[in-house]
Amino acid sequence: MTNQQSKAKMSRIFSQKVYELLRTVPKGKVVTYGQLAKMAGNAKAARAVGMIMAKNPNAPVVPCHRVIASDGSLHGYSGEGGVSTKKKMLLSEGVVFIGDKVDLSQSVWNPSR
DNA sequence: GGCCTGACTTTAG
DNA sequence: GCTAAAGCCAGGC
């Protein structure tokens, strides 16, 4: 899938694309809202992405806990324990944390790889 | 069809 | 370095 997953996903709505992209994020890696938004089609739709995650209709199939802010800090988590649990899960997956933030230098997911 | 909300991001003070 | 405000987008009512 070197290319943009084809135009098949293009037909899908923004939220659907976000779910698909997030689902492709490997364990131990995280992605920022802005990154997801850009991959979904709109780099400025980071807010919309957050709202979609908040609704999280695909909770079990979408690792929403792998989505973090642009600076690596975690934000509201609708799950149990909130961001605390979110951070814990990421740590369990191998994500490197620096204090309360994620080490973007190592744990940020790159679609190129 | 229009207004409000929200898990964001960036720039300025 | 931290806090505050403005801007942009999609979804829900």
Side-chain angles (χ1 to χ4, degrees), chain A residues 69-108:
Chain A
S70 60
D71 64 337
S73 37
L74 279 60
H75 274 251
Y77 178 63
S78 302
E80 292 289 315
V83 295
S84 302
T85 302
K86 184 171 172 178
K87 178 181 172 185
K88 190 176 176 183
M89 288 197 295
L90 292 172
L91 283 167
S92 299
E93 294 189 342
V95 176
V96 182
F97 266 77
I98 300 176
D100 284 12
K101 296 182 182 177
V102 179
D103 185 1
L104 301 175
S105 304
Q106 299 179 72
S107 301
V108 166

Side-chain angles (χ1 to χ4, degrees), chain A residues 7 12 20 56 63 79 95:
Chain A
K7 27 284 151 170
R12 299 175 189 272
E20 295 291 307
N56 204 0
V95 176

Side-chain angles (χ1 to χ4, degrees), chain A residues 3-6 9-10 13-14 16-26 30-46 49 66-67 108-113:
Chain A
N3 297 329
Q4 285 58 312
Q5 268 85 34
S6 303
K9 313 234 165 139
M10 212 170 128
I13 55 179
F14 188 79
Q16 191 65 60
K17 286 195 278 191
V18 174
Y19 301 137
E20 295 291 307
L21 289 164
L22 194 53
R23 205 169 54 158
T24 59
V25 179
V30 294
V31 58
T32 66
Y33 293 97
Q35 185 93 53
L36 260 171
K38 186 172 184 175
M39 288 192 285
N42 293 324
K44 302 172 189 166
V49 175
R66 285 182 193 159
V67 186
V108 166
W109 175 58
N110 270 321
S112 302
R113 336 185 166 188

